[in-house]
Amino acid sequence: MKLPLLEDLGDVRGKTVLVRTDFNVPMSGGDDARSISDDFRIRAALPTITWLTERGAKVVCASHLGRPKGQPTPKYSMAPVRARLAELAPGVGLLENLRFSPGEEANDEATVAELVQGVDMYVNDAFGAAHRAHASIVGPPRTLPSAAGRLIQREVEVVDRLRSTPKRPFVAVLGGAKVSDKLGVIDALVAMCDQLLIGGGMCFTFLAAQGHPVGDSICERDQIDRCRGLLEKHKSIMLPEDIIGVDADGVYTTFGRRLPDGAKGMDIGPGTAAAFSDAIMDARSVFWNGPMGVFEDARFAKGTRTVAQAMADTKAFTVVGGGDSAAALAQFGLDDDVDHVSTGGGASLEFLEFGDLPGLKALREAPNAR
Ligand code: ADP
Ligand code: MG
């Protein structure tokens, strides 16, 4: 995909550049004493910001924070983010929370006009919001010379590579809680990859589709037919062969795929984890989304840890998407050992599925890119 990049903005000296960032940082503390618990999203935007400031541009950032639903709310004030940004990038401005205005999510003209007032150029580096057709994402590129920042540039390169020229075998690993959240991605991935490994809560709907009893595991009955159809059509789908479950007596491991009444599947078993790990080690490209079990509880984190370790150890090109998967990887201290961790959960899955996003399309249609 050919996006306008920072280099395509022309001379930025003396220009005011609006940078749409994703500063939706985790916060802690009471409603009126909020502080940032992790500033990684602010630091992640620095390559783009400093590229501009080093060349003499005046940079003003704009982001959303939380879900204030169009209402100015002190809890979601940008003040703590502004203070941290001032330390990391002195002289760079930051507008108030974009979602304090209902026009942001509604993408209304007046909100766009206000955003571009006094601005010469626009840069989007908020990959995590690029799947939303909101005012700050699709509005400014209609009139301003525009570019993708470094974060978006990298996300697009990685997913383009997986979609168009993946080194094979290309293995995809999917987990997480619900099948219904990810049907689109499953359809897209199964068509692209050589093997699709399914764990996490979603595996139980597939196992039920094969006729296995799943006990009290999370299972979406209304998706069983759909899953059965996928299994019949795609022999490349691999399901768990053992499961770690919990019942009234405690935690145990099954020797097969059957979970009796009263038992709940919480993680893939050790046999499955080893098989998934082997497939990842033998692959040349791997995409992983969704934990293999309820990894937040140490008793059910082994499957996710084994997959994460294989992602770190394999020679394959490795990409991780999804908020909880990225959190799991970081929890195991393995986030530096994969090739790419996507900064946008929902956005990375939608981009993989559709090969495009509203925010990317808007950049391609900007006056300097046409
Ligand atoms: P991501 O954010 O990486 O896309 P999801 O949000 O789809 O991942 O799924 C993460 C959640 O899935 C975690 O909170 C985890 O506890 C849950 N999960 C994984 N396996 C199971 C299971 N067997 N039963 C219930 N929930 C599960
Ligand atoms: Mg999640």
Side-chain angles (χ1 to χ4, degrees):
M1 177 184 299
K2 200 158 161 18
L3 287 178
L5 304 178
L6 295 176
E7 289 76 5
D8 300 312
L9 285 172
D11 190 5
V12 301
R13 183 161 302 277
K15 300 282 169 53
T16 298
V17 184
L18 176 69
V19 181
R20 175 57 162 101
T21 49
D22 180 359
F23 288 164
N24 188 24
V25 296
M27 305 285 282
S28 57
D31 280 8
D32 43 30
R34 310 265 290 165
S35 63
I36 298 172
S37 38
D38 192 339
D39 66 357
F40 72 100
R41 287 196 164 151
I42 307 175
R43 284 182 285 112
L46 293 178
T48 295
I49 293 171
T50 53
W51 190 95
L52 291 163
T53 54
E54 276 171 1
R55 285 163 183 76
K58 178 176 181 299
V59 172
V60 181
C61 297
S63 175
H64 68 284
L65 176 64
R67 295 177 184 273
K69 306 216 164 95
Q71 286 293 323
T73 321
K75 182 178 169 185
Y76 296 117
S77 157
M78 278 294 178
V81 180
R82 191 174 295 117
R84 184 68 184 126
L85 181 65
E87 290 166 4
L88 293 169
V92 169
L94 175 61
L95 302 183
E96 190 41 278
N97 193 336
L98 290 166
R99 291 189 189 163
F100 279 5
S101 154
E104 165 65 1
E105 291 182 66
N107 184 20
D108 90 21
E109 281 303 326
T111 304
V112 176
E114 216 174 293
L115 274 174
V116 302
Q117 175 90 49
V119 169
D120 303 305
M121 294 169 169
Y122 169 77
V123 171
N124 188 354
D125 214 15
F127 183 72
H131 59 317
R132 310 268 187 230
H134 293 170
S136 67
I137 301 291
V138 296
R142 285 202 283 269
T143 52
L144 297 178
S146 300
R150 294 300 190 232
L151 285 174
I152 287 199
Q153 183 182 345
R154 171 79 179 143
E155 297 276 0
V156 169
E157 279 167 11
V158 164
V159 172
D160 266 352
R161 192 169 151 186
L162 281 185
R163 284 183 57 96
S164 52
T165 52
K167 289 215 165 105
R168 295 188 182 276
F170 174 14
V171 170
V173 191
L174 284 181
K178 288 165 84 183
V179 190
S180 52
D181 283 350
K182 299 193 177 164
L183 282 170
V185 194
I186 297 175
D187 283 339
L189 277 174
V190 84
M192 281 181 243
C193 69
D194 301 292
Q195 207 172 21
L196 176 60
L197 317 178
I198 295 185
M202 71 159 71
C203 78
F204 298 104
T205 308
F206 282 93
L207 291 174
Q210 285 186 327
H212 301 294
V214 296
D216 294 346
S217 308
I218 51 168
C219 176
E220 291 170 273
R221 297 274 156 202
D222 56 339
Q223 302 296 339
I224 288 181
D225 285 342
R226 184 93 197 257
C227 291
R228 188 179 297 120
L230 282 166
L231 288 168
E232 278 163 9
K233 194 162 164 221
H234 302 284
K235 300 297 163 212
S236 55
I237 297 178
M238 189 171 157
L239 294 172
E241 59 203 40
D242 57 354
I243 292 151
I244 294 181
V246 63
D247 66 11
D249 298 327
V251 178
Y252 68 100
T253 303
T254 66
F255 289 104
R257 295 172 161 164
R258 306 166 66 85
L259 279 163
D261 284 353
K264 190 170 181 204
M266 301 297 276
D267 194 7
I268 55 173
T272 304
F276 283 12
S277 172
D278 286 349
I280 292 168
M281 293 306 292
D282 291 342
R284 294 185 68 204
S285 314
V286 191
F287 175 79
W288 174 33
N289 166 266
M292 296 291 101
V294 183
F295 76 101
E296 297 91 341
D297 181 331
R299 294 174 299 166
F300 311 119
K302 288 196 196 76
T304 304
R305 182 187 282 275
T306 302
V307 162
Q309 191 65 53
M311 290 295 284
D313 292 343
T314 180
K315 289 199 176 66
F317 177 64
T318 44
V319 181
V320 180
D324 292 287
S325 321
L329 204 63
Q331 185 181 309
F332 305 139
L334 297 170
D335 41 343
D336 287 338
D337 300 322
V338 298
D339 290 296
H340 181 72
V341 183
S342 175
T343 51
S348 60
L349 297 184
E350 265 187 49
F351 186 30
L352 200 63
E353 180 177 350
F354 300 110
D356 203 1
L357 297 173
L360 305 180
K361 181 165 179 281
L363 291 175
R364 292 199 307 277
E365 290 170 355
N368 60 321
R370 284 196 285 258

